[in-house]
Structures are given as C-alpha cells and as structure tokens.
Amino acid sequence: MYRLILYGTLLTVVMIWGLNVTATKILVNNFPPVTMTALRIFVAGLSAILILSIRKKFKTFKKRGMFYIFLVAMFNVVGHQFFLSIGLTKTTASNTGILLGMVPLITSVLAVIFLGDRLTIMKCIGILIGFSGVTFIVIKGSSGFQAISIGDFYIFLSVLAQGISFVLIKKVASQMDGTVMTAWMLLFGSIILFFMGLIKEPSGLMNFSNVTPMVWIIFFSSAVLATGVGHMFYNKILQKIGAAEAAVFINFNPFFALIGAHFFLKEQIFYSQILGFLMVVVGVLFVTGEWGKIRKRRQVKFDGKIRSIK
C-alpha cells in the first residue's frame, strides 16, 4: 500500500510537470520571459526553504559544497530555464513537452562521455531511435524541415543544459542532501537569472502590473507546486524507489504536456508528433536499461506461471 502511495504521488508530480509546460507557455506570453522565470524560480526556492525550515531540515554547506551547488545551478536553473523561457516564445508547448522528454536520453549520452558509463548496443539503438523521434517532432506534420523553428533549437539547448546538470548531480549526490541542494540551487539560479533579465529586458518589471488575477494564480501555482514542491517530492521519492523506477514515470511527462497543450492552448497535435513522442519514449527505455528490466520481469512472471502449472 505504501509503495502504491509513492507511485501515485510520483505520477501526480509528473502530471503537474507536464501541465507546467502549458502554464509556462501562458506566462511567457503575458510577462517578459527571463524576468518572469527568475521571479518564478525565486518564489520556488523560497517555498522549498520554507518547507525545509518547518521540517527542521534546512542547512548550509561548506564552501566546497556551495561551489558544487552553484555549478549545478548554472546548468539546471540558469541554462535550462533561460533557454526554456526563450524557446517557449518561439515554439509550441506540445513540441516543448515532447523535447523535454529527451532529458534521460541526453543524460545517458553525457554519462557515457564524461562519467565513463558503458556504451552498449541497447544504448546505441536507444540513442538512434530517440533522436530519430526528435526529427518527427520538429518537422510538424507535413510542413517539412523548413518548419523547424529557432524555438525548437532553444528547447534542445535547454534539455542539453539540464542533462549536463544531472551528470554533475550524479557526481555529487552522495555528498549532500538532494532536497536541500534543490532549495539552494533554485535560490542561486534565480538571482543570476534576475540579473540576466535586467540586461535582456531592462523594463521587464514594469510589465508585471498589466495581467489578470488568473495569470497570477498560474504564476504562483507553477512556482510553488511544479518547481518548488514538485522537485522536493520527486527527490524524496527518488531516494525511496530508486532512479530506475522513477525514470519510467518521467516518460509520462511529455504525454501530460501534449494533453495540456491541446486542451488549454488549443494546439493542434500532429501525427508526426505522436510518432516522435513514442520513439523518444522507446529510446529512453532502451538507453536507461528499463526495456531489458521490463522484459526480465515479464519473463520471471511467465516462468512462474509455467512452474505453477507443472
């Protein structure tokens, strides 16, 4: 029963993350994207710190720990969120959601390059299938390659930045608490993003008064639920069930992003996007090794049935 609660909570977090792509698309259409993102992440960081303080789990780190947090924040928050916010102004939420599903794929490739992870035949097949799926996503139906937008490229850079951050996190995860690191990371990253917003959008803060209350509700829901609380719940559940099982649920993220884009933004979903989404999911399963684990579990169940019949 406890494990079912964990699975249900994880699926809820993933659903919120998928729908958050739609929320972010709405926000970048109503606010200066970089300034808005900086404030949204800052609110998320404060929420995370508040929750940790209430639970008496908030703490500081030594200089070396802070350096690692700052380094991860530069990729996971600054790089990822900057390119995500800019990219969403130039491409659809549906494309963005599916491309974000490539994060485990990119992370596995980077782990092979920088961490010395073994490159197996299954991983090679997964990489080939996953990147082929991306091709179907960005051509947008029958429009051809001329339909590829600069926004899709920015989203890819966003995915690449997050993949690099996950490789860095993997190296330092054993040295610090994941939830505390998340809170500090959000806080550091938001401050840097804010100064980037001042440079890119000098009058950005002036545009925050001309929005409806509903947009503000979406802003705080995205900041607190999706970014702050969502990441903390995910990191906590990750420690309980392991990265392998959690990775399976992450594959539902693009699905919920597609649903949100279609129903809330009225975006048309192309068959090529659905095909690309399925190929990315299969590619992720191959690269992360989940495909083999699923086959083994099914084989064990099948063998068990045969033995029971005998």
Side-chain angles (χ1 to χ4, degrees):
M1 184 65 184
Y2 177 67
R3 209 162 185 82
L4 285 176
I5 293 173
L6 289 178
Y7 289 153
T9 304
L10 183 55
L11 187 61
T12 302
V13 169
V14 171
M15 180 183 70
I16 291 171
W17 282 352
L19 295 176
N20 190 48
V21 176
T22 298
T24 308
K25 176 70 173 177
I26 294 171
L27 293 175
V28 298
N29 287 340
N30 285 273
F31 295 112
V34 180
T35 306
M36 178 279 299
T37 300
L39 294 177
R40 182 173 64 85
I41 301 301
F42 183 72
V43 171
L46 288 180
S47 301
I49 289 173
L50 179 62
I51 292 170
L52 287 171
S53 299
I54 292 171
R55 297 173 63 197
K56 297 181 179 178
K57 290 192 174 183
F58 182 71
K59 63 179 180 179
T60 58
F61 291 99
K62 295 180 181 179
K63 288 183 180 179
R64 187 173 178 82
M66 283 298 184
F67 170 75
Y68 282 129
I69 292 173
F70 176 80
L71 189 62
V72 172
M74 287 301 296
F75 289 99
N76 190 281
V77 179
V78 179
H80 172 62
Q81 294 291 346
F82 175 80
F83 287 118
L84 179 63
S85 62
I86 297 297
L88 266 170
T89 65
K90 301 178 185 297
T91 190
T92 62
S94 52
N95 266 26
T96 300
I98 304 172
L99 289 171
L100 287 175
M102 288 179 59
V103 170
L105 191 71
I106 294 291
T107 304
S108 295
V109 173
L110 292 172
V112 170
I113 298 171
F114 296 109
L115 298 181
D117 283 13
R118 189 163 158 248
L119 183 63
T120 63
I121 294 175
M122 290 288 282
K123 283 186 178 181
C124 289
I125 294 172
I127 292 168
L128 181 62
I129 293 173
F131 280 101
S132 297
V134 172
T135 302
F136 285 99
I137 295 164
V138 299
I139 61 175
K140 297 179 184 174
S142 58
S143 302
F145 282 97
Q146 67 271 19
I148 298 176
S149 69
I150 187 66
D152 292 328
F153 177 67
Y154 284 146
I155 299 302
F156 176 77
L157 291 180
S158 171
V159 170
L160 181 62
Q162 192 167 46
I164 293 171
S165 77
F166 286 163
V167 171
L168 291 171
I169 289 171
K170 190 174 181 180
K171 286 182 71 70
V172 301
S174 60
Q175 303 175 32
M176 53 187 70
D177 184 280
T179 54
V180 179
M181 183 176 70
T182 299
W184 277 111
M185 186 177 68
L186 292 172
L187 209 58
F188 280 166
S190 66
I191 294 170
I192 297 168
L193 270 176
F194 181 74
F195 284 106
M196 290 174 67
L198 289 179
I199 296 170
K200 185 173 175 56
E201 302 154 355
S203 59
L205 290 174
M206 298 180 185
N207 299 318
F208 274 70
S209 59
N210 301 320
V211 294
T212 64
M214 179 55 67
V215 174
W216 280 113
I217 291 172
I218 293 172
F219 174 88
F220 284 105
S221 297
S222 173
V224 178
L225 290 179
T227 307
V229 177
H231 278 87
M232 292 186 68
F233 267 103
Y234 176 77
N235 288 332
K236 191 67 177 176
I237 295 171
L238 195 67
Q239 294 175 338
K240 298 287 185 182
I241 69 174
E245 287 187 71
V248 176
F249 285 87
I250 291 298
N251 288 319
F252 287 98
N253 196 335
F255 170 75
F256 289 120
L258 277 175
I259 296 297
H262 179 68
F263 285 102
F264 295 107
L265 299 177
K266 308 302 179 186
E267 289 185 4
Q268 183 180 354
I269 306 300
F270 295 99
Y271 288 114
S272 61
Q273 289 175 307
I274 297 173
L275 177 60
F277 159 64
L278 294 174
M279 292 177 73
V280 168
V281 170
V282 171
V284 168
L285 290 175
F286 271 66
V287 166
T288 58
E290 280 304 306
W291 186 268
K293 292 174 185 177
I294 291 170
R295 287 185 62 188
K296 284 181 182 178
R297 282 196 289 265
R298 290 189 66 181
Q299 185 63 45
V300 168
K301 289 180 181 179
F302 182 72
D303 290 344
K305 287 179 181 179
I306 290 177
R307 290 193 188 99
S308 64
I309 290 171
K310 288 180 179 179

